[in-house]
Amino acid sequence: KKLISMVLVTVLAVLQVFSFASCKASEKIKYSAHYFDYFDTATTIIGYTETKEEFDLICEDIKVLLNEYHKLFTIYSRYENFNNLVTINDLTDGEHQVVKVDKKIIDMLVFAKDMYKKTNGKVNVAMGSVLSIWHIYRNDGLDNPFKAELPPMEKLKEANNHTDINDLIIDEENNTVYISDP
């Protein structure tokens, strides 16, 4: 999920940069901006504009988009009165609920299911149960490097039993998502 989210945001940012970077470099000055506020990753924007103010305005537009997509596609942060991927993954009384979400999430999940088919399952947004185990072991290793270890294979295999893309039920008409495997 995080990878797909980062790819989508990167594509949006690159398209935005290309929209103003295609002018003659001799007429423009190169500027760059760096952020670490979105998707727990570094974002660098490089562009050529006539003034720093013009570049800063473009960066503000990109930051608005990055912030919006970060809130929609995060699997770690909840936002009050705002459904995102965390909300979809939440369990209530041991079960997932049908969640109404922004159309952008629906579009990304439909795209992800299509990529699953086109890549013969190599791209799978339903890998959360496996990836969350890796995430825990990675964080534990960062917190205590001398006790870092790999997750047990049996734990990963058990989690892999819950990665069926068909358990991701998308209702495009009503903008709802449901995960049928608790």
Side-chain angles (χ1 to χ4, degrees), residues 54 84-85 87 136 145 148 177:
E54 181 183 359
N84 60 12
L85 293 184
T87 317
I136 291 166
V177 181

Side-chain angles (χ1 to χ4, degrees), residues 9-143:
V9 169
T10 302
V11 168
L12 287 172
V14 168
L15 290 174
Q16 181 75 21
V17 170
F18 281 144
S19 71
F20 65 88
S22 61
C23 302
K24 291 182 189 176
S26 61
E27 299 172 7
K28 310 288 181 175
I29 301 168
K30 181 180 180 179
Y31 297 100
S32 65
H34 310 277
Y35 310 104
F36 195 75
D37 302 321
Y38 313 104
F39 300 104
D40 295 325
T41 191
T43 301
T44 300
I45 301 169
I46 300 171
Y48 294 84
T49 58
E50 292 179 8
T51 67
K52 175 87 166 85
E53 292 76 22
E54 181 183 359
F55 178 76
D56 289 343
L57 286 172
I58 292 166
C59 286
E60 284 304 313
D61 289 344
I62 293 171
K63 282 174 56 177
V64 167
L65 281 174
L66 286 172
N67 188 52
E68 176 186 6
Y69 280 92
H70 173 79
K71 285 182 176 179
L72 287 170
F73 297 122
T74 183
I75 59 171
Y76 302 110
S77 300
R78 288 171 175 74
Y79 299 94
E80 193 172 333
N81 300 319
F82 187 86
N83 291 336
N84 60 12
L85 293 184
V86 172
T87 317
I88 295 168
N89 287 319
D90 278 344
L91 295 174
T92 303
D93 297 324
E95 303 228 354
H96 292 284
Q97 303 300 307
V98 175
V99 180
K100 187 164 184 68
V101 294
D102 188 285
K103 178 85 167 90
K104 292 175 186 81
I105 291 177
I106 297 294
D107 292 344
M108 186 276 294
L109 293 174
V110 168
F111 174 77
K113 284 184 111 173
D114 186 45
M115 288 298 101
Y116 179 87
K117 290 176 194 166
K118 288 181 178 176
T119 63
N120 295 316
K122 290 186 176 26
V123 174
N124 185 357
V125 296
M127 289 292 294
S129 57
V130 173
L131 297 175
S132 63
I133 294 169
W134 279 104
H135 180 77
I136 291 166
Y137 276 77
R138 177 186 176 273
N139 285 346
D140 290 349
L142 289 172
D143 292 342

